[in-house]
Amino acid sequence: MKKLLHTENLSIGFDKKRRSEIILHERINLSLNKGEFICLIGPNGAGKSTLIKTFVGFASALSGKIFLNNREIKSYSETELAKQISVVLTEKTDTANITVKELVSMGRYPYTGFFGKLTSDDLLIVNESLEQVGIIKMQDKLCGELSDGEAQKAIIAKALAQKTPIIILDEPTAFLDLPSRIEIMQLLKNLAHKAGKTIFLSTHELDLALQYSDRLILLAQGKEIKCGTPEDLVLNRDFNDFFEKDGIEFDNDSGSFISCERNEKKINILGEGREFNWVSKALKRNGFINDKNAEICIKINNSDKNKYLIVSKNKNEIKVDSVEALLFELKKPHMQHPEILSGVKESLASQPE
């Protein structure tokens, strides 16, 4: 892959010209490659925004170097840099009273000269950018009339109109609902893979980053930065090392964070497929862990109307047809004392398949 931007022993933080120098991270050696979709993940205060602003020249590096096309980035003029990197920050600007097309046209500023007059070529690029994000029919609407998801697409179209090989975004899915977050992530991945753009963004959307990114960069205070494919970082337990806290752990099987209850109750769950997965999630959320030696057993029957069979020693077998009903039964007082329950395997073995 062609390396477009890379760092050599970069240190980022707060410049001592403004305050006492605070180093957030040092010896950073990262690269952004052509056609890659890369997500930067870390807790609040980890330095994600500082890293992004240092990459694009909005903040000064404390030490080390940043190279763009193998040329040190600080040697670029403002206009030269604007033709190489477009930036979408979290801060909202007051664009409510201009049209979508006018907003996207602003992306042509590195090329239009002092008076900002658009040529026919500029207008063609603006229209192409609107088409790429799917809002060409909204070009005459005021930006203030757009939904949050539509507004974010318009801002991305403005970045596309800038015609840069690299687009860097700071939390582009913040404040969006789930369908819009998914849509934006899909859009950005397609721009990387189909349009050959290098897309680099920070996000708190761990599940979406795991699903869509080519590479992840993990950032946390006091830890060495980790970079790799989502799968490698999961298998190497890097998420566990970076983000786990008391009562919260990263589940390497499901790829999500889960709450850990200290007084977990043991239960034996027998089944397979989708029903088994979702019942297991519900039980885990309610403080149960799967243990084949547990004295309470649940048998999942995907083909039976009464899908779930609860087996224990001192209760008749209980059949229920929903997860809600299953949880209701398990929370009854006599189910909270497994020490009085036994003989699960024998009872279960007597059940017809």
Side-chain angles (χ1 to χ4, degrees):
M1 284 189 175
K2 182 180 179 183
K3 187 187 298 183
L4 296 187
L5 186 148
H6 72 277
T7 67
E8 290 185 0
N9 295 319
L10 179 69
S11 292
I12 63 170
F14 302 115
D15 197 320
K16 60 186 177 183
K17 292 179 181 178
R18 296 188 306 168
R19 63 179 84 177
S20 297
E21 184 175 274
I22 300 175
I23 298 175
L24 295 178
H25 297 279
E26 54 188 344
R27 296 186 296 277
I28 301 172
N29 294 287
L30 297 172
S31 65
L32 307 183
N33 303 319
K34 179 177 173 60
E36 267 194 321
F37 182 39
I38 308 157
C39 292
L40 174 65
I41 295 178
N44 287 334
K48 298 188 300 297
S49 294
T50 301
L51 179 60
I52 282 179
K53 289 177 180 179
T54 306
F55 268 12
V56 300
F58 294 170
S60 299
L62 299 184
S63 63
K65 297 179 180 180
I66 304 173
F67 293 91
L68 177 61
N69 295 318
N70 293 316
R71 173 182 161 190
E72 198 166 354
I73 201 167
K74 65 183 181 181
S75 70
Y76 282 76
S77 69
E78 186 176 323
T79 300
E80 287 177 323
L81 194 58
K83 293 179 180 180
Q84 295 296 320
I85 302 175
S86 49
V87 184
V88 177
L89 297 178
T90 307
E91 294 85 357
K92 293 185 177 182
T93 55
D94 186 10
T95 57
N97 295 316
I98 63 173
T99 67
V100 171
K101 188 168 187 177
E102 288 170 336
L103 172 65
V104 177
S105 297
M106 292 178 182
R108 297 303 299 158
Y109 78 91
Y111 310 93
T112 55
F114 180 78
F115 293 102
K117 183 174 176 60
L118 298 175
T119 67
S120 58
D121 287 340
D122 291 320
L123 291 172
L124 180 61
I125 290 170
V126 168
N127 287 336
E128 288 175 347
S129 301
L130 289 163
E131 288 276 11
Q132 280 183 287
V133 302
I135 57 170
I136 187 69
K137 293 181 180 179
M138 302 177 187
Q139 60 180 314
D140 295 323
K141 290 183 69 172
L142 292 176
C143 291
E145 298 172 350
L146 301 178
S147 68
D148 287 340
E150 292 165 347
Q152 192 65 344
K153 287 182 182 180
I155 295 170
I156 293 171
K158 175 178 175 286
L160 287 172
Q162 207 169 318
K163 279 294 181 182
T164 60
I166 302 173
I167 300 177
I168 295 180
L169 309 96
D170 191 11
E171 297 194 36
T173 58
F175 314 116
L176 301 183
D177 59 25
L178 180 58
S180 296
R181 295 200 300 267
I182 294 172
E183 192 176 15
I184 292 297
M185 294 293 275
Q186 287 177 327
L187 170 62
L188 294 171
K189 180 180 179 179
N190 287 336
L191 290 173
H193 291 181
K194 296 180 180 180
K197 300 288 186 182
T198 298
I199 308 290
F200 177 57
L201 64 89
S202 66
T203 181
H204 284 102
E205 306 289 345
L206 174 62
D207 52 342
L208 296 181
L210 283 168
Q211 182 177 351
Y212 289 106
S213 63
D214 297 310
R215 283 191 297 145
L216 292 176
I217 297 172
L218 304 185
L219 202 65
Q221 286 187 357
K223 295 183 181 291
E224 180 182 351
I225 292 175
K226 295 287 185 179
C227 180
T229 65
E231 295 77 14
D232 281 331
L233 294 173
V234 170
L235 293 172
N236 292 335
R237 298 186 62 82
D238 288 311
F239 284 102
N240 305 77
D241 295 338
F242 266 69
F243 302 116
E244 284 190 353
K245 296 181 178 180
D246 289 341
I248 300 174
E249 69 177 26
F250 182 78
D251 186 338
N252 288 285
D253 294 323
S254 66
S256 60
F257 286 96
I258 57 175
S259 175
C260 306
E261 304 225 0
R262 293 188 176 183
N263 297 319
E264 291 176 318
K265 300 171 282 290
K266 294 179 180 180
I267 198 162
N268 186 14
I269 314 169
L270 298 179
E272 60 183 13
R274 183 174 60 184
E275 293 277 353
F276 175 81
N277 291 334
W278 282 102
V279 170
S280 297
K281 287 176 184 290
L283 292 171
K284 193 164 190 176
R285 187 178 72 248
N286 284 272
F288 292 92
I289 58 172
N290 195 0
D291 187 329
K292 64 181 181 181
N293 296 315
E295 296 177 329
I296 302 175
C297 184
I298 295 171
K299 185 178 181 182
I300 299 170
N301 187 342
N302 295 332
S303 61
D304 192 346
K305 180 180 179 181
N306 293 312
K307 296 179 180 180
Y308 313 121
L309 173 68
I310 306 172
V311 181
S312 62
K313 179 184 177 182
N314 294 336
K315 282 292 296 181
N316 293 329
E317 294 157 358
I318 302 170
K319 289 184 177 182
V320 294
D321 61 1
S322 70
V323 176
E324 182 178 6
L326 175 66
L327 294 173
F328 177 78
E329 291 294 337
L330 291 174
K331 289 177 181 179
K332 287 182 176 179
H334 64 267
M335 289 291 187
Q336 301 301 310
H337 301 283
E339 67 274 6
I340 67 171
L341 305 171
S342 61
V344 175
K345 292 183 180 179
E346 291 80 359
S347 182
L348 185 62
S350 67
Q351 295 304 305
E353 293 294 331

